[in-house]
Amino acid sequence: MQFRIFSCRLLKSIISLCFILLIERSSNIISNSTVAQDQDDANQSTARLLSTANRSLSINTLQPYGDCPLSRPRLSPHPLTPTWQASFPGSGSRMSYHLISALTGIRTGDDYDSHGFGYDRVVVVKTHYPVKTVMNGFWELDGMFPRAVVVLRNPMDAIPSYFNLLYERSNHLPNHSTRGPNEEWIKYRDDPSFGFSGNIQLFEQFATFWMEKYQYSTNDMLLVSYEELIDDDLGPTTSIRMADFLGETEGVEPLPRDLIPCAWHKVVKYKEMKLRMENESNTKKRRRTQEGNNNNAQYSLREGPKRRPYTAAQLAEMLSMFHRLLLKFSGDSVFVSVISSYIEAVSSTLPVDG
């Protein structure tokens, strides 16, 4: 009888102990799961917290940018007051309007209205005026556009970039895939009708036109440089300035400021890497096609030189143009800063004569 009682008590103790162990194990599982979920949440919000802390100035490239799903840009459901997006040819206008669409969620257009969107359902309208004419007449359209985002790029780099585009088109190459060889660049550069000297005059006209257009309404123009937009430190900050400016238009609601560095990284840096990978893949395919067909297809398989040669006279011509612009618009601190950086870059470039 006593043995039976002892056995029952022992069995109850064992059951109780098992139950306690089961509860502790379940608690540990729940606790570990919660910690893992908290860590995932922390990882996702790291970029937001860091970019908020660094909102006023640069973002360190080692900091994670986080995840910011970007919606497909759409036409505005209601009319907007349109804004010009003006740039000299070869100054990254495509990159700029992709970035602007990412920042605002609204599609962009161009002065030709080539997509048939019209001008009041897009957030900005791309133009190269006065370098290139506008099909519908610039002054006929300009009354609709009280504001502008103007993107400058050092013409020492913008002119070769535009040359590369012309070279790709004339050789039936994909856009942004190939840099033309230096011998072709030199022919273009030294052409008396549309080469370097002609483009330098056009750059001066472009900068003068847009600076004079808004000299009495500086709040209606945002001046940014291409160099700042692609810079790892200045790019996110410049994008925030751009979003703030566009957000002043009624009906435009940009991304929250803490998500803008992530959007900048996805558009400016991620797309650069993706495009490079696609171009490498296309190059390999073209090489295989050429080797198989041996048909002498007109494709350049070279990446091409990144820096283009200029003569001493051409570098001096650029510097003279910059100094004329500085004298004319010395009161605009942003413009002076941008042009001064171009003077520094050109001054440090060694000439290559011949």
Side-chain angles (χ1 to χ4, degrees), residues 2 26 32 47 57 59 61 73 93 102 118 120-121 127-128 140 143 146 153 167-168 181 198 226 253 268 327 332 344:
Q2 290 179 350
S26 299
N32 290 337
L57 286 174
I59 308 296
T61 57
S93 60
D120 63 352
R121 301 282 176 169
T127 185
H128 295 310
E140 284 74 11
R153 185 183 187 184
Y167 178 84
E168 289 163 347
Y226 171 87
E253 297 182 5
V268 176
L327 285 173
D332 191 299
E344 182 180 354

Side-chain angles (χ1 to χ4, degrees), residues 232-253:
D232 288 334
D233 292 328
L234 298 176
T237 307
T238 304
S239 299
I240 290 173
R241 289 173 51 217
M242 188 179 288
D244 288 347
F245 179 82
L246 295 169
E248 293 172 6
T249 298
E250 185 177 354
V252 177
E253 297 182 5

Side-chain angles (χ1 to χ4, degrees), residues 46-307:
T46 296
R48 299 184 186 182
L49 295 173
L50 290 173
S51 58
T52 299
N54 293 280
R55 188 177 287 172
S56 60
L57 286 174
S58 62
I59 308 296
N60 189 300
T61 57
L62 296 179
Q63 295 173 349
Y65 289 92
D67 186 24
C68 49
L70 302 177
S71 59
R72 187 179 183 87
R74 54 175 175 73
L75 293 176
S76 173
H78 47 74
L80 299 174
T81 302
T83 298
W84 288 121
Q85 180 205 322
S87 62
F88 187 78
S91 300
S93 60
R94 174 176 294 189
M95 179 197 73
S96 298
Y97 68 65
H98 281 311
L99 178 59
I100 287 173
S101 287
L103 295 176
T104 63
I106 303 175
R107 298 197 67 160
T108 61
D110 57 66
D111 51 14
Y112 271 62
D113 192 23
S114 55
H115 296 289
F117 296 154
Y119 301 109
D120 63 352
R121 301 282 176 169
V122 294
V123 63
V124 295
V125 173
K126 182 186 75 172
T127 185
H128 295 310
Y129 190 85
V131 178
K132 293 185 177 182
T133 58
V134 178
M135 182 176 64
N136 296 322
F138 179 84
W139 293 111
E140 284 74 11
L141 295 175
D142 187 58
M144 302 167 54
F145 294 77
R147 311 174 83 224
V149 175
V150 179
V151 181
L152 292 181
R153 185 183 187 184
N154 193 331
M156 184 172 66
D157 300 315
I159 296 172
S161 178
Y162 186 60
F163 155 75
N164 289 334
L165 177 62
L166 297 177
Y167 178 84
E168 289 163 347
R169 288 179 178 175
S170 64
N171 289 278
H172 310 291
L173 295 166
N175 286 350
H176 302 283
S177 66
T178 307
R179 300 184 188 96
N182 265 340
E183 54 267 26
E184 293 297 324
W185 155 248
I186 292 172
K187 290 178 185 177
Y188 174 84
R189 182 197 72 182
D190 295 341
D191 189 286
S193 58
F194 57 80
F196 169 80
S197 293
N199 272 286
I200 282 297
Q201 294 175 27
L202 289 173
F203 181 89
E204 186 171 7
Q205 291 174 19
F206 174 86
T208 299
F209 173 82
W210 289 99
M211 290 300 295
E212 287 182 343
K213 188 175 190 300
Y214 291 98
Q215 63 180 329
Y216 300 118
S217 55
T218 55
N219 291 336
D220 290 330
M221 182 186 75
L222 177 68
L223 179 67
V224 299
S225 74
Y226 171 87
E227 291 80 9
E228 290 177 341
L229 277 175
I230 65 171
D231 184 81
D232 288 334
D233 292 328
L234 298 176
T237 307
T238 304
S239 299
I240 290 173
R241 289 173 51 217
M242 188 179 288
D244 288 347
F245 179 82
L246 295 169
E248 293 172 6
T249 298
E250 185 177 354
V252 177
E253 297 182 5
L255 288 173
R257 287 166 64 97
D258 57 330
L259 293 182
I260 290 175
C262 174
W264 169 84
H265 187 260
K266 276 196 169 184
V267 173
V268 176
K269 297 301 179 180
Y270 173 73
K271 284 188 177 294
E272 269 184 14
M273 292 184 288
K274 183 178 179 181
L275 181 62
R276 185 159 54 249
M277 292 171 62
E278 290 175 350
N279 287 338
E280 288 175 357
S281 175
N282 291 336
T283 298
K284 291 177 182 177
K285 290 178 182 178
R286 292 199 299 269
R287 184 179 285 112
R288 287 196 297 268
T289 301
Q290 286 182 301
E291 290 172 350
N293 297 337
N294 193 25
N295 60 359
N296 296 317
Q298 296 300 307
Y299 288 113
S300 172
L301 302 180
R302 291 176 290 184
E303 292 182 1
K306 292 183 178 180
R307 303 298 296 181

